[in-house]
Amino acid sequence: MSEKAATPRAASRAPRPTGAPRAAAGVVGASRPTEAADFVVPWPPASRALTAIVAVAVALSLSFMQQRSSGTELAAILRTELNRYSPGEKLPSSRALVERHRVSPVTVSRALAELAAEGLVTTRPGAGAFRAEPRSEAPRPVDTSWQEIALSAEPAGDQVPRSVDASGVVATLGVPGPGVIELNGGYLHSDLQPERALGAALARAGRRPGAWGRPPVEGVPELRAWFAREIAGAGGPLAASDVLVTAGGQSALTAALRALAAPGAPVLVESPTYPGMLAVARASGLRPVPVPLDADGVRTDLLADAFRASGARLFVCQPLFQNPTGAVLAAERRREVLRVARAAGAFVIEDDFARLLVHGDAPTPPPTLIADDGDGTVVHVRSLTKATSANLRVGALAARGPVLDRLRAIQVVDSFFVPRPLQEAALELVGSPAWPRHLRLIAGELTARRNALTTALHQELPALAGQEAGPGPAYGHDPARGGLYVPPGGYHLWLRLPDGTDEAALTGAALRAGVAVAAGRPYFAAEPPAAHLRLSFASASGTGEITEGVRRLRTACEELGVPVR
C-alpha cells in the first residue's frame, strides 16, 4: 500500500483499505491504467473552483502523455515513408500531415523532431522539413584493442588488480523483464515509496528563496543538523559541523574508503557483505580481507586476529540489519569492535543503511556505534534513499577530528556538492507530517511482506528454510522456524542452499520461471563456504506477488533437482 500524502494544493486518490486487492493485469500486483477520474475526490463547496483547476491540470497532463505517444507512432510511420523522397526533397507540410494522419500540430512537431534527432530529416525555419542527405561515408570502426593493455598494466609495486566487478550491484539496480517478479531488488517497491510526499516536498523546495543558489560544499546547515540529531540522538556527541551531506550512501562509502586507506592497503570487511562496498574497495585499489560473522554480527575474536595478521587500519561493517544476513551486532560485540579497532589504531566505517527500515514488531534498535564512540574511531554513513526512493540520493558522512577535513576534500574533488534543490527537498520531506506516517507505513508493510516470504518458504521450500543461514553452528539459527533467521529489520532474507547446488544455474532457472533472485557469490570477498541466495521482500508489489515468486523459485529448484523438502 502506498502512502499518498495529500497537501492543500493537490487532490489525492481516495485511500484503498489495507490489503485490498488491485485489479489484475496478467501478473500479480498489476493495476489498471490511471485515468483522470481517479484523481477527482469530493471537495467542500468552497473548494469547487480548486477541484476544477485540478481536473483541468490532470486532463492537460494526460493529453500531453497521449501526444508524446502519438508523436512516436507518427514518427514510425514517417520513417517508413522516407524512401519515397530523394535526399534533399521536401516532405509534406505540417498542415498536410495534420490532415492526412488526423493528429494535432504538436504531434507532428514531435514526430519531426524525433526524426531530426536521428539524422533522417532536416528542418528549416519557414521552409519546412526535408529528407536529410546521406552520410558521405560509413563511420570508421573504432579499434579499442589497445585498452586491454592499458587497463591491465599496473605499476611494478602495485599488486592489487583495479578491475571492477559490478555484477552484484547491477543485480539490484536492473529492472526485470515484463512478468518477472522482483525478489532481488535493493529498493522499496513504488507502492511503498512516498511519491506524493516527495513530489510535494520537491515543489515546495523549488520555491524556497535561494533554493537554486550554490550551497555550502559541506551541505545545507539545517540538513546537516537534522542528520546529526538522527545519527547520534538528541544531545548526542555530534554537531552539525561533524556532518557532510553526500549524494547518497554509495557516494559516502566511496569517499570514506578513498580517504581512509591508501591504494594497495588491506581493508577488513564482514563476510558476507554488501557487493557495492567490495566493488568500491577494489576500484580504489584496496584489498578486502574477510572477517566471518554469525547471528550476533562480526566475530570480534577473529577481528582482532585479522587486524594483527593483515596490518589493516580500516574495518567496514553494518551493525544493524546487515546486508545480506540481517544480523544485528550484539551489545557486548559493539564495545569489543570499538576496543579492538582503537587498539589497532584503525578506523571503523559504520554503514547504517537500514536504520529507517525497522519492522513493526521489532524492539527499539540499538544506538549507532558513533554514538558510543569517545575517540573519533567511527566514520558513520547514513542515507535517506533506502526508505524513500532510489532517486532521492541524499546521505551523510559523520566523523570527528582531522579525518573530517580529508573526507571533505575527497568529496569536493569528486562531486563539488550535492545540488541544493535536492537537499532542500530532503529537508521539506523529513520535516513534514507525512514523514513519520511514512515510516510507520513501511514498518508495517515490511513486516507483512517478511512474514509472507517466510511462510511461503516453509510451505514451498522447507528444505531451504530449514538450512542454517550461514557458516558456524549458531549462525542464523531460529528453532521456532527450523533454522531460518528472520531479521527484525531490513528488506531481505539470506538462504543457504544445499551442498553442491550451482547457484548461478539456479538463478538462471529462476529467471526462466519468472522470478529474479540474487546469487550469493558476489557477497563474499573470498571463496564462499557454501552457495546462497538473497531474497528481497521490499521490491515486490505485495504479499501475493511474494508468495507467487516463491512458487516460481520452487519450479526452478525442481528443474535442477535441488531438494525442496
Side-chain angles (χ1 to χ4, degrees), residues 217-296:
V217 294
E218 299 88 351
V220 172
E222 296 85 352
L223 187 57
R224 296 171 70 194
W226 181 85
F227 271 119
R229 291 191 300 271
E230 287 291 306
I231 293 169
L238 285 181
S241 57
D242 298 321
V243 175
L244 304 175
V245 177
T246 67
Q250 188 73 5
S251 175
L253 277 175
T254 301
L257 284 167
R258 290 182 56 201
L260 300 177
V267 53
L268 305 187
V269 301
E270 296 169 318
S271 183
T273 192
Y274 167 51
M277 188 274 298
L278 295 177
V280 168
R282 288 171 175 142
S284 302
L286 306 179
R287 294 189 292 109
V289 177
V291 183
L293 45 73
D294 58 25
D296 292 325

Side-chain angles (χ1 to χ4, degrees), residues 171-185 511 514-517 539 545:
T172 64
L173 294 178
V175 178
V180 176
I181 295 174
E182 186 178 5
L183 295 185
N184 66 335
L511 198 58
V515 59
V517 296
S539 51
E545 190 169 83

Side-chain angles (χ1 to χ4, degrees), residues 63-323:
S63 174
F64 174 73
M65 290 188 288
Q66 291 166 356
Q67 287 172 353
R68 286 189 63 182
S69 176
S70 300
T72 300
E73 294 170 0
L74 179 58
I77 295 172
L78 296 179
R79 198 178 289 112
T80 62
E81 296 179 351
L82 281 178
N83 290 332
R84 302 178 186 176
Y85 303 90
S86 302
E89 185 177 353
K90 184 177 179 180
L91 275 62
S93 67
S94 294
R95 178 177 296 178
L97 292 174
V98 166
E99 294 175 354
R100 179 188 304 175
H101 297 282
R102 297 184 179 181
V103 294
S104 71
V106 174
T107 298
V108 171
S109 176
R110 289 186 178 278
L112 292 176
E114 185 172 333
L115 296 179
E118 297 173 6
L120 299 177
V121 302
T122 58
T123 57
R124 303 172 195 167
F130 302 80
R131 181 177 176 183
E133 296 286 344
R135 293 175 179 171
S136 57
E137 61 180 19
R140 181 178 64 86
V142 178
D143 181 7
T144 60
S145 56
W146 65 273
Q147 293 185 2
E148 187 172 349
I149 299 173
L151 292 173
S152 301
E154 302 286 350
D158 191 349
Q159 302 299 317
V160 181
R162 301 295 295 274
S163 59
V164 180
D165 179 9
S167 59
V169 181
V170 172
T172 64
L173 294 178
V175 178
V180 176
I181 295 174
E182 186 178 5
L183 295 185
N184 66 335
Y187 299 100
L188 297 178
H189 188 271
S190 58
D191 281 356
L192 296 180
Q193 296 175 17
E195 292 180 354
R196 291 196 178 180
L198 282 167
L202 193 59
R204 292 194 302 270
R207 295 192 298 267
R208 279 189 173 193
W212 294 92
R214 187 170 65 241
V217 294
E218 299 88 351
V220 172
E222 296 85 352
L223 187 57
R224 296 171 70 194
W226 181 85
F227 271 119
R229 291 191 300 271
E230 287 291 306
I231 293 169
L238 285 181
S241 57
D242 298 321
V243 175
L244 304 175
V245 177
T246 67
Q250 188 73 5
S251 175
L253 277 175
T254 301
L257 284 167
R258 290 182 56 201
L260 300 177
V267 53
L268 305 187
V269 301
E270 296 169 318
S271 183
T273 192
Y274 167 51
M277 188 274 298
L278 295 177
V280 168
R282 288 171 175 142
S284 302
L286 306 179
R287 294 189 292 109
V289 177
V291 183
L293 45 73
D294 58 25
D296 292 325
V298 68
R299 290 187 51 185
T300 47
D301 56 333
L302 298 179
L303 180 65
D305 292 341
F307 271 122
R308 284 192 295 268
S310 67
R313 292 295 179 266
L314 180 61
F315 170 51
V316 186
C317 65
Q318 295 176 328
L320 188 66
F321 314 140
Q322 197 261 356
N323 183 7

Side-chain angles (χ1 to χ4, degrees), residues 241-487:
S241 57
D242 298 321
V243 175
L244 304 175
V245 177
T246 67
Q250 188 73 5
S251 175
L253 277 175
T254 301
L257 284 167
R258 290 182 56 201
L260 300 177
V267 53
L268 305 187
V269 301
E270 296 169 318
S271 183
T273 192
Y274 167 51
M277 188 274 298
L278 295 177
V280 168
R282 288 171 175 142
S284 302
L286 306 179
R287 294 189 292 109
V289 177
V291 183
L293 45 73
D294 58 25
D296 292 325
V298 68
R299 290 187 51 185
T300 47
D301 56 333
L302 298 179
L303 180 65
D305 292 341
F307 271 122
R308 284 192 295 268
S310 67
R313 292 295 179 266
L314 180 61
F315 170 51
V316 186
C317 65
Q318 295 176 328
L320 188 66
F321 314 140
Q322 197 261 356
N323 183 7
T325 65
V328 177
L329 188 62
E332 62 276 9
R333 292 192 184 181
R334 290 166 53 86
R335 294 187 292 270
E336 190 66 5
V337 164
L338 295 176
R339 187 196 67 79
V340 169
R342 184 70 186 88
F347 285 100
V348 174
I349 296 179
E350 178 187 19
D351 182 8
D352 200 23
F353 76 105
R355 183 164 293 271
L356 298 177
L357 302 180
V358 62
H359 296 170
D361 57 358
T364 301
T368 59
L369 283 183
I370 197 171
D372 295 333
D373 172 29
D375 302 301
T377 299
V378 178
V379 173
H380 182 94
V381 173
R382 175 72 66 89
S383 174
L384 290 172
T385 307
K386 291 293 187 185
T388 56
S389 164
N391 293 292
L392 187 64
R393 305 212 63 77
V394 175
L397 274 169
R400 290 168 297 167
V403 67
L404 191 65
D405 293 332
R406 184 175 295 185
L407 290 167
R408 180 189 298 108
I410 291 287
Q411 176 166 304
V412 169
V413 169
D414 280 352
S415 57
F416 291 178
F417 51 78
V418 178
R420 184 164 196 147
L422 199 58
Q423 296 189 56
E424 299 284 1
L427 260 178
E428 287 282 354
L429 177 67
V430 300
S432 71
W435 181 241
R437 290 200 303 268
H438 170 64
L439 294 182
R440 289 193 297 270
L441 171 75
I442 59 174
E445 290 292 332
L446 288 177
T447 305
R449 284 163 165 78
R450 180 204 67 195
N451 291 343
L453 180 56
T454 55
T455 298
L457 286 171
H458 281 92
Q459 291 177 348
E460 302 291 337
L461 296 168
L464 270 61
Q467 291 280 326
E468 291 178 5
Y475 184 94
H477 182 64
D478 183 350
R481 293 184 177 271
L484 179 65
Y485 176 65
V486 182

